[in-house]
Amino acid sequence: MKAYLGIDTSCYTTSCALIAQDGELVAEARKILEVKPGRCGLQQSEMVFQHTRNLPVLMEQVLATEGYELAGIGVSGYPRRLEGSYMPAFLAGMSVARSLAAATRLPLTVLSHQENHIEAGLWSAGGPQAERFLTLHASGGTTDLLLVERRNNRYTIEQVGGSIDLHAGQFVDRIGVALGLQFPTGPALEKLASTAADYEELPISVRKLELSLSGPATAAQRKLEAGVDGARLALGVEYCLAESFARLFRKAGEQLRVKDVLLVGGVGCNSFIRKHIEERLAPRRMRLWVPEACFSCDNASGCASYARNLANE
């Protein structure tokens, strides 16, 4: 059976995936980049080095799968499908993908990291099937509210809103590191928040289709310095993000007359955030689509799926 290889080298995860002609995930491997304790990130040069080291190992694992003939390759080449969108980390994946495509003479599909997230979400969640839907890409480097219009296997993306300052993942990591959690702090912060009986209230700033997270982050740091309980604060961060996202979806759904919304990105893995948004959208008869948590965070399944879709046109 034919299969399609996906490669994604984002800021903090090296990923490879193999998806069969029928859409089944054949093999998948990924490795989170190493960040020293107490640090809030990596320089681009460090990312490229670690991706370059990780890719051969992950490729060997994925391509060791037997019974499948490689038919195409998809790779994330840049952050967004915008002119000038560039980040060195993606050069590592592009280098391997282009070299493999040249050696095998297989078709190469280059898409943006954001499109990879959208496609992974659609593939894992099984929808939305609508021609127009909203997507919130919430991660450490992006908090974009997008209007996606799909025709056949291709789609156009228009940013209609999102954060005007701090990204959602930056908010989580800034407070998580201050709480003594290991970067990236999302999973640990969610675990800590689950032990709280109630949340510490933080300001919510949503105007039209834009939100600000720098104010809530500053308020959270001040509360932490004042001695507030860490678990309550962690839950407060989750509530602030969940309610902010819900308000964005509700406003955008009404303004753009859209009923289906897709949540992707590392911050979208959080179960509290997913449940809160779903409950807030239900009265408006809006449906929230979410991929499996492991396919909401950075992974290469979207690249493989997109290459497969284009081959089937």
Side-chain angles (χ1 to χ4, degrees):
M1 185 181 293
K2 293 181 178 180
Y4 299 84
L5 174 68
I7 300 173
D8 182 71
T9 51
S10 65
C11 286
Y12 295 105
T13 308
T14 315
S15 308
C16 298
L18 197 63
I19 288 182
Q21 181 75 31
D22 61 2
E24 178 188 358
L25 181 68
V26 176
E28 195 255 353
R30 67 183 85 170
K31 183 174 176 58
I32 297 176
L33 305 190
E34 298 174 3
V35 180
K36 293 181 180 179
R39 292 182 59 182
C40 290
L42 294 170
Q43 294 181 343
Q44 285 289 320
S45 59
E46 294 179 275
M47 296 178 193
V48 173
F49 171 75
Q50 291 195 44
H51 284 315
T52 302
R53 183 182 60 189
N54 294 342
L55 272 170
V57 177
L58 300 184
M59 290 281 285
E60 288 168 355
Q61 293 175 13
V62 168
L63 295 180
T65 306
E66 297 181 355
Y68 294 88
E69 174 189 355
L70 196 60
I73 303 165
V75 61
S76 296
Y78 36 86
R80 301 176 180 86
R81 189 171 287 279
L82 298 172
E83 186 176 353
S85 181
Y86 168 77
M87 190 173 288
F90 295 107
L91 293 176
M94 280 289 293
S95 177
V96 170
R98 288 184 61 183
S99 298
L100 182 59
T104 59
R105 297 187 179 181
L106 290 173
L108 176 64
T109 301
V110 181
L111 62 160
S112 70
H113 178 68
Q114 190 165 75
E115 289 170 314
N116 172 51
H117 268 294
I118 294 171
E119 187 63 37
L122 293 170
W123 168 78
S124 176
Q129 301 297 332
E131 292 184 356
R132 296 173 75 248
F133 59 92
L134 290 166
T135 296
L136 183 65
H137 179 195
S139 66
T142 306
T143 305
D144 291 349
L145 181 63
L146 311 166
L147 177 63
V148 182
E149 298 192 54
R150 181 171 51 188
R151 289 176 176 78
N152 298 321
N153 291 322
R154 301 176 186 268
Y155 40 73
T156 59
I157 302 171
E158 178 187 358
Q159 184 173 351
V160 295
S163 176
I164 60 173
D165 41 45
L166 204 63
H167 296 308
Q170 291 176 316
F171 179 24
V172 170
D173 287 328
R174 185 170 296 184
I175 305 307
V177 170
L179 286 167
L181 307 178
Q182 174 64 31
F183 181 95
T185 65
L189 185 133
E190 182 175 7
K191 183 177 180 180
L192 177 62
S194 68
T195 66
D198 199 2
Y199 65 90
E200 189 69 24
E201 188 172 347
L202 296 173
I204 295 172
S205 179
V206 177
R207 295 182 180 180
K208 296 182 178 179
L209 301 184
E210 295 179 334
L211 74 150
S212 171
L213 294 173
S214 60
T218 299
Q221 288 178 319
R222 288 175 178 169
K223 286 177 178 287
L224 185 59
E225 292 168 1
V228 73
D229 177 69
R232 280 179 58 92
L233 185 61
L235 185 56
V237 170
E238 288 185 332
Y239 181 87
C240 177
L241 288 172
E243 180 58 20
S244 296
F245 295 168
R247 292 184 190 184
L248 279 182
F249 277 141
R250 285 163 63 105
K251 289 175 182 287
E254 181 179 3
Q255 180 176 317
L256 301 172
R257 297 182 180 180
V258 177
K259 291 292 186 182
D260 291 286
V261 300
L262 175 68
L263 178 64
V264 297
V267 178
C269 298
N270 186 286
S271 58
F272 176 91
I273 291 176
R274 291 180 173 206
K275 182 179 179 181
H276 182 85
I277 295 174
E278 188 173 27
E279 291 174 350
R280 292 279 281 127
L281 295 185
R284 299 286 182 92
R285 296 184 178 179
M286 296 179 68
R287 179 171 181 180
L288 175 67
W289 297 80
V290 290
E292 291 182 53
C294 62
F295 296 115
S296 183
C297 56
D298 288 346
N299 70 98
S301 64
C303 291
S305 178
Y306 197 61
R308 165 184 169 270
N309 290 343
L310 294 188
N312 292 333
E313 283 187 332

